[in-house]
Amino acid sequence: MVEMHEMVPGKRFDRYHELGQYAFGEKLGLYIVVPQQLIVEVGVCIVYMVTGGRSLKKFHDVVCSDCKQIKLTFFIMIFASVHFVLSQLPNFNSISGISLAAAVMSFSYSTIAWVASVDKGKQEHVEYGYKSDTQERTVMRFLAALGDVAFAYAGHNVVLEIQATIPSTPEKPSKKPMWKGVIVAYIVVALCYFPVAFVGYWAFGNGVEDNILVSLSRPHWLIAMANMMVVVHVIGSYQIYAMPVFDMMETVLVKRLRFPPGLTLRLITRSAYVAFTMFVGITFPFFGGLLSFFGGFAFAPTTYFLPCIMWLAIYKPRRFSLSWITNWICIILGVLLMILAPIGALRDIIGNIIDKQYKFYQ
């Protein structure tokens, strides 16, 4: 996608749907890309609502263990209140500081999570086998886990919008600094994810929580600080994924429905969006299940195989060449992921509801 951003001389594809329109045609490109991208971005925002609320609740419970228990619903509402304000920032450039803080916080709390797990050590009676008691449920959990993996690469859905903020000239195209940024980003992602995965599983086995910080409680001050870092991280990440949605909503309202642009339109549309994601997050506060479902259903197409289809449609690599074979492998695996991961996630969600591990409006 970085390479395709300026593939036509003198033109930049600053939006995912613009690239889709070039590859598939004006109308078909919109119908293929926009619904998928919206599902991804709205889905991420809902998951981040739940994540922010859970982290705030964990912070409260750690700092004030003797206090009266407060429902998760209220913490999600507190988290959402921040976004009613931040959502009024006009564009990507205006949230660059928030985005930087989010990246720093992500690396910091990931480091705290695995270091605290090492300090806590291997737990008594830890189990490393399958958590499920039946083969059918084990398979479904495996499929749901694939959705979790897919969710980790949500950034692909806004890569063109981010690249659009980089100045570009024929001598210095934007893809050069963007490639450096992508490489650094994935190095940081690896440094964040792999130690947490390996050390967390070593310490807690199959009993580890969806959010590993929930499994940790000591030292109190460090775990409390880590949870606040998560809150800062998801505040910034929410805004990054919400900004393209705001842009789409306001564009449609102004160009199609002739609404006058300005502060009033921004205040109403963006506040309504934040309220919607807050309501869904409060209703379905299933962090792990939502992660798996959205990861498979929406992230797989926009991340794993739509860019490959666009590459084949635009560049038309020679049949059975390395590029042609690689893209087709990604397309086949991506389609399988899109079909199987949501099935596993829904089965997991339903099973946990039946077992009363999941509750609505917690």
Side-chain angles (χ1 to χ4, degrees):
M1 293 183 75
V2 171
E3 290 289 335
M4 289 190 282
H5 184 257
E6 294 166 350
M7 59 185 299
V8 178
K11 183 176 176 60
R12 301 182 73 181
F13 297 109
D14 291 339
R15 301 287 182 271
Y16 200 143
H17 67 83
E18 292 175 3
L19 183 60
Q21 287 176 297
Y22 184 81
F24 306 124
E26 286 293 318
K27 286 190 176 181
L28 184 59
L30 279 178
Y31 295 149
I32 291 175
V33 174
V34 172
Q36 292 287 350
Q37 195 177 18
L38 277 175
I39 292 170
V40 168
E41 287 156 356
V42 174
V44 172
C45 290
I46 292 169
V47 171
Y48 284 158
M49 275 287 175
V50 177
T51 308
R54 282 190 177 278
S55 297
L56 279 174
K57 186 178 188 326
K58 178 67 176 181
F59 174 81
H60 170 269
D61 294 345
V62 170
V63 171
C64 190
S65 56
D66 297 328
C67 295
K68 181 182 177 181
Q69 288 291 309
I70 301 175
K71 292 177 67 174
L72 175 62
T73 294
F74 297 113
F75 287 105
I76 294 176
M77 293 172 70
I78 293 169
F79 180 76
S81 65
V82 177
H83 294 293
F84 283 111
V85 178
L86 292 181
S87 64
Q88 302 309 312
L89 295 172
N91 52 43
F92 266 116
N93 288 326
S94 62
I95 62 172
S96 58
I98 300 171
S99 177
L100 176 61
V104 172
M105 292 299 104
S106 178
F107 183 76
S108 300
Y109 74 71
S110 298
T111 303
I112 290 173
W114 71 261
V115 170
S117 297
V118 170
D119 181 69
K120 193 176 181 81
K122 186 177 178 180
Q123 300 303 289
E124 291 184 15
H125 311 298
V126 65
E127 294 182 5
Y128 297 115
Y130 293 121
K131 193 174 182 178
S132 306
D133 51 359
T134 65
Q135 187 174 4
E136 178 260 344
R137 197 159 185 182
T138 298
V139 172
M140 290 300 168
R141 281 181 177 272
F142 169 75
L143 296 178
L146 294 178
D148 289 342
V149 174
F151 194 97
Y153 300 96
H156 295 182
N157 297 280
V158 291
V159 68
L160 294 179
E161 284 82 352
I162 294 172
Q163 192 170 347
T165 65
I166 300 175
S168 182
T169 63
E171 296 77 25
K172 295 182 178 180
S174 64
K175 69 179 182 180
K176 289 185 178 180
M178 189 66 186
W179 265 117
K180 292 178 182 177
V182 169
I183 292 169
V184 171
Y186 278 112
I187 290 173
V188 173
V189 166
L191 292 174
C192 289
Y193 284 170
F194 283 107
V196 172
F198 293 140
V199 177
Y201 190 65
W202 167 77
F204 301 103
N206 60 23
V208 68
E209 294 285 344
D210 295 330
N211 179 351
I212 192 172
L213 292 173
V214 176
S215 297
L216 297 164
S217 56
R218 292 178 184 278
H220 293 312
W221 66 270
L222 188 63
I223 302 307
M225 185 172 69
N227 276 280
M228 283 309 298
M229 289 177 176
V230 174
V231 173
V232 174
H233 169 222
V234 293
I235 284 174
S237 299
Y238 181 100
Q239 290 299 315
I240 289 172
Y241 289 101
M243 200 60 72
V245 182
F246 297 154
D247 184 48
M248 289 184 197
M249 291 167 59
E250 289 164 11
T251 299
V252 170
L253 289 172
V254 171
K255 291 187 176 180
R256 298 284 181 88
L257 303 179
R258 306 297 180 187
F259 278 77
L263 181 61
T264 303
L265 177 67
R266 184 193 303 171
L267 183 65
I268 294 172
T269 55
R270 299 188 180 195
S271 298
Y273 176 78
V274 173
F276 169 75
T277 56
M278 178 189 71
F279 173 74
V280 178
I282 289 171
T283 308
F284 305 100
F286 316 144
F287 173 74
L290 289 175
L291 212 69
S292 304
F293 178 79
F294 284 119
F297 178 69
F299 288 46
T302 53
T303 299
Y304 291 104
F305 65 85
L306 263 184
C308 297
I309 294 173
M310 292 178 185
W311 184 274
L312 293 175
I314 295 170
Y315 283 107
K316 296 180 174 60
R318 184 171 52 82
R319 200 177 172 106
F320 301 115
S321 64
L322 180 61
S323 174
W324 187 90
I325 292 171
T326 304
N327 278 284
W328 270 110
I329 290 173
C330 291
I331 291 167
I332 293 168
L333 293 177
V335 171
L336 290 173
L337 181 64
M338 181 186 70
I339 296 169
L340 297 176
I343 295 173
L346 285 175
R347 173 63 182 82
D348 203 31
I349 290 173
I350 293 167
N352 283 320
I353 291 173
I354 293 172
D355 296 341
K356 297 185 178 178
Q357 293 184 36
Y358 283 165
K359 296 178 182 177
F360 298 98
Y361 300 103
Q362 291 180 14

